[in-house]
Each structure stands twice: as structure tokens, then as C-alpha cells.
């Protein structure tokens, strides 16, 4: 391989490796938030019905969120009816004697119980948050078996009600519950999405065949730059949707999630936007910039979100179809920019050969 192309490939490999390494902590955000699921958990009501007491499912239904702005404490009960969480004006407290305090730390509920975990013991409260909101994995809202329910196994192409669930609450002398449903939703066929991504990749990559320095080459460079910028915008939108699905409250909470748990994906999208503008301006080394930004976009907007193409419930706010469109746009424009950039670098290197 000729020297310029070899250097380009080496830099792309090093950059991709570094970004994947740095992104590992961010990928663990939300502990074990799933990449997607085919089980839809939905809130049907909160009892007692009091203004300020609200519940919702977050992280593709992996966590139950309860917010208490009533001014009075509300206690969530564990699996044996013991006090588990206490949510009120003073913050969120966890009962270290409740087995639920340990089982609910992971999605699989596989945490080993310590000796002090005893639902019959007097509560030992430990403060875990300052705000009025608690989020936790609750096994009553999830399907934790590896095999699907019998009705789903018999007819997986139809939606099924798996069960109605309830998470009991106590507010003073009043008992109630967060109530909801768990449904099986047939997963989408990923084939059309893969076809769309492949066609997009081939069309964009083919632009790299236009000779550089010609009118056709200039138009091709600008077209690839514009499409890469589109992929960057799609990635930013997808990143915001994922941040919203974590349940962080308000604009400040969403921004905090973007610069912590979603920071590398966000930077990848912004980098693709900048690289697209750089190519549109026909700046020096635009071909290399396209290839580098495209590689990052393929990894972080495409490869890390592929589960959205084959799961009914992706871990992002908004319609599932829109989430899949954003993933495909990021994947196609990123991979296409890599191919176009490398082809243009190869053509330029051949033209410069004596």
C-alpha cells in the first residue's frame, strides 16, 4: 500500500481504538441499561392518586421511576412487604435490611445478599439521593426468564399481554401501588433496515470514484460532506433521545447526561457535523477528515446502536421507527464517508506518483 493511504489507515485504526477505549465507561451508564427489548412495560396508574406523586418507566422499561413532590413521605415496599425505599422532602432513603436494596441493583437481580439483609428486621435507612425521585430495577415489572412466555412461544408474531403488575406503596396510613402492564411486542424485521443502510453506504462511497480536481470531483466532495453532516445531525438527535430515556429531569438533567453518560456519542455527532462543513468548504485534507469522522460515526452512531434495528423497544425517547431511521442514517453516512474518503485518498496518491 502506498504511504499516504497507509498513514490514513493507521490513523483511522488508532483513533477508533482510542475512542472505543474511552467510551467504555460511558457505555456502562445506567448500570446495565439494555440495548433494547421486546417487552414493553407501561404505567397504568398510581394509587393513592395525589398531585405530585408520579411514576414512569425509563431506560426502555428497565427501571421504574417514582417522583414524590407531595411534601409527605412515601414508602415503596419490597418483595416480602418490607419497607424498601423512602421518598420524600428529605430525599431518597434505602433500607439496607431489605433484600430488594441489593436485588434491584442489577437488571438480572443476581446480587448476592449480605448477612444483614432480612425483611423481618427493623429498617436501617441510608440516604442515597437528595432529590424527590428514585429509579430502580423492579423485578415485578420485568420478564427475567430466558425463555419467553408460553403464549409468546406459540405465536411470537402477535402482541401478547404477559401480566399486570403492581409495586406496593405506603403513604402514612394509606396503602396503594404503582400499577402497570407488561406486554410482548413482536420485534421488527431488521432486513429492510440493513438493505437501506447498505444502499446508502454504496451510493455515498461511490462518490469517491469521481476524479479529484474535476468539477465532478468537487461536487462529489461537497455531496459527501453534506451527507456526513446529515449523519452527524442524526447522531446528535439520537444522543438526545437516549439521554431523555434515562429519566433525567429537566433541561439541566438532560445536559448533564449528555456530557457524562452520552459524551462520546455526542462528540462524534458534532465532529461529523464539523467534518461535513470542512468538506463543503473544500479545505485541505478534506478527504482524510471525511474518512476519520465517518469511521467514528459508523462505530458510535451505527455499531453501538444496532440492537435498535431488531428490538421492538429501543432505549431512546420517541417513536421506535424514528430511532431506527436515525441509526441507519448514521451508519450509512458514516460508512459511506469512510469509503469515499479512502477512495479519494487513493486516487490522489496515484495521481501524485511519479
Amino acid at each position: 500500500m502506498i504511504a499516504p493511504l497507509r498513514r490514513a489507515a493507521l490513523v483511522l485504526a488508532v483513533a477508533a481504538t482510542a475512542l472505543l477505549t474511552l467510551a467504555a465507561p460511558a457505555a456502562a451508564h445506567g448500570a446495565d441499561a439494555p440495548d433494547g427489548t421486546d417487552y414493553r412495560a407501561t404505567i397504568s396508574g398510581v394509587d393513592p392518586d395525589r398531585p405530585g406523586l408520579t411514576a414512569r418507566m425509563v431506560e426502555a422499561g428497565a427501571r421504574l421511576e417514582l417522583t414524590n413532590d407531595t411534601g409527605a413521605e412515601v414508602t415503596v415496599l419490597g418483595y416480602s412487604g418490607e419497607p424498601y425505599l423512602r421518598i420524600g422532602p428529605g430525599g431518597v432513603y434505602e433500607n439496607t435490611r431489605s433484600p430488594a436494596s441489593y436485588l434491584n441493583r442489577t437488571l438480572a437481580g443476581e446480587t448476592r445478599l449480605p448477612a444483614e439483609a432480612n425483611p423481618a428486621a427493623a429498617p436501617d435507612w441510608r440516604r442515597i439521593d437528595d432529590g424527590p425521585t428514585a429509579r430502580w430495577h423492579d423485578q415485578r415489572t420485568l420478564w427475567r426468564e430466558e425463555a419467553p412466555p408460553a403464549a409468546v412461544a406459540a405465536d411470537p408474531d402477535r402482541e401478547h399481554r404477559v401480566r399486570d403488575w403492581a409495586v406496593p406503596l405506603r403513604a402514612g396510613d394509606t396503602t396503594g401501588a404503582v400499577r402497570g402492564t407488561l406486554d410482548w411486542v413482536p420485534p421488527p424485521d431488521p432486513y429492510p433496515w440493513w438493505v437501506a443502510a447498505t444502499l446508502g453506504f454504496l451510493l455515498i462511497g461511490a462518490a469517491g470514484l469521481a476524479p479529484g480536481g474535476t468539477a465532478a470531483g468537487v461536487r462529489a466532495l461537497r455531496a459527501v460532506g453534506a451527507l456526513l453532516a446529515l449523519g452527524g445531525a442524526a447522531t446528535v438527535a439520537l444522543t438526545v433521545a437516549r439521554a431523555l430515556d434515562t429519566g433525567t429531569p429537566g433541561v439541566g438533567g438532560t445536559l448533564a447526561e449528555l456530557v457524562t453518560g452520552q459524551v462520546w456519542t455526542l462528540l462524534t455527532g458534532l465532529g461529523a457535523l464539523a467534518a461535513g462543513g470542512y468538506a463543503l468548504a473544500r479545505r485541505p485534507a478534506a478527504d482524510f477528515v471525511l474518512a476519520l469522522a465517518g469511521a467514528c460515526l459508523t462505530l458510535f452512531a451505527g455499531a453501538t446502536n444496532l440492537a435498535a434495528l431488531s428490538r421492538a423497544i429501543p432505549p431512546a425517547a420517541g417513536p421506535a421507527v424514528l430511532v431506527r431511521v436515525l441509526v441507519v442514517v448514521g451508519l450509512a453516512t458514516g460508512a459511506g464517508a469512510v469509503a469515499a474518503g479512502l477512495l479519494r485518498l487513493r486516487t490522489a496518491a496515484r495521481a501524485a506518483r511519479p
Side-chain angles (χ1 to χ4, degrees), residues 17-99:
T17 302
L19 283 170
L20 283 173
T21 302
L22 290 171
H29 174 75
D32 48 0
D35 293 327
T37 180
D38 297 323
Y39 295 92
R40 182 181 60 212
T42 307
I43 302 291
S44 57
V46 181
D47 179 28
D49 184 10
R50 296 181 178 178
L53 186 61
T54 58
R56 61 174 177 167
M57 304 303 302
V58 298
E59 293 184 5
R63 291 179 190 268
L64 172 61
E65 176 189 279
L66 183 65
T67 298
N68 178 21
D69 283 319
T70 64
E73 287 188 342
V74 170
T75 302
V76 181
L77 303 184
Y79 302 119
S80 298
E82 81 282 3
Y84 159 46
L85 292 174
R86 198 176 71 198
I87 309 168
V92 179
Y93 290 81
E94 179 184 69
N95 177 15
T96 61
R97 305 288 188 182
S98 170

Side-chain angles (χ1 to χ4, degrees), residues 13-350:
V14 171
T17 302
L19 283 170
L20 283 173
T21 302
L22 290 171
H29 174 75
D32 48 0
D35 293 327
T37 180
D38 297 323
Y39 295 92
R40 182 181 60 212
T42 307
I43 302 291
S44 57
V46 181
D47 179 28
D49 184 10
R50 296 181 178 178
L53 186 61
T54 58
R56 61 174 177 167
M57 304 303 302
V58 298
E59 293 184 5
R63 291 179 190 268
L64 172 61
E65 176 189 279
L66 183 65
T67 298
N68 178 21
D69 283 319
T70 64
E73 287 188 342
V74 170
T75 302
V76 181
L77 303 184
Y79 302 119
S80 298
E82 81 282 3
Y84 159 46
L85 292 174
R86 198 176 71 198
I87 309 168
V92 179
Y93 290 81
E94 179 184 69
N95 177 15
T96 61
R97 305 288 188 182
S98 170
S101 295
Y102 308 95
L103 296 174
N104 292 352
R105 289 178 182 175
T106 64
L107 187 60
E110 57 193 5
T111 306
R112 179 176 297 179
L113 295 179
E116 62 267 23
N118 180 4
D124 180 16
W125 296 106
R126 178 174 64 94
R127 188 175 184 176
I128 58 174
D129 198 278
D130 297 334
T133 299
R135 302 180 190 90
W136 70 96
H137 298 300
D138 199 299
Q139 298 175 19
R140 292 163 287 204
T141 70
L142 304 169
W143 180 260
R144 297 177 56 245
E145 304 295 331
E146 292 186 7
V152 174
D155 187 7
D157 297 325
R158 187 171 62 86
E159 188 169 318
H160 295 273
R161 172 63 48 83
V162 176
R163 64 167 173 260
D164 297 319
W165 53 263
V167 176
L169 306 176
R170 188 168 62 220
D173 296 330
T174 303
T175 59
V178 180
R179 305 185 188 278
T181 58
L182 184 67
D183 296 280
W184 160 267
V185 182
D189 182 5
Y191 180 75
W193 299 103
W194 276 110
V195 170
T198 302
L199 290 176
F201 156 68
L202 293 174
L203 290 173
I204 298 171
L209 298 173
T214 65
V218 171
R219 288 195 297 269
L221 177 63
R222 288 177 171 171
V224 174
L227 289 170
L228 182 62
L230 175 64
T235 299
V236 171
L238 178 63
T239 307
V240 172
R242 289 190 64 114
L244 291 173
D245 191 57
T246 62
T248 51
V251 176
T254 302
L255 291 175
E257 171 62 22
L258 287 172
V259 299
T260 54
Q262 309 289 336
V263 62
W264 293 110
T265 310
L266 177 64
L267 290 177
T268 298
L270 295 175
L273 278 168
Y278 191 87
L280 286 169
R282 299 175 58 192
R283 304 290 295 176
D287 299 332
F288 174 74
V289 171
L290 283 176
L292 178 60
C296 296
L297 199 64
T298 304
L299 289 170
F300 292 101
T304 59
N305 291 291
L306 286 179
L309 304 183
S310 58
R311 294 295 187 183
I313 315 296
V321 172
L322 177 59
V323 173
R324 296 183 193 109
V325 168
L326 296 177
V327 172
V328 168
V329 169
L331 186 63
T333 57
V338 172
L342 290 179
L343 285 172
R344 289 176 62 88
L345 285 170
R346 184 171 181 269
T347 302
R350 281 184 171 180

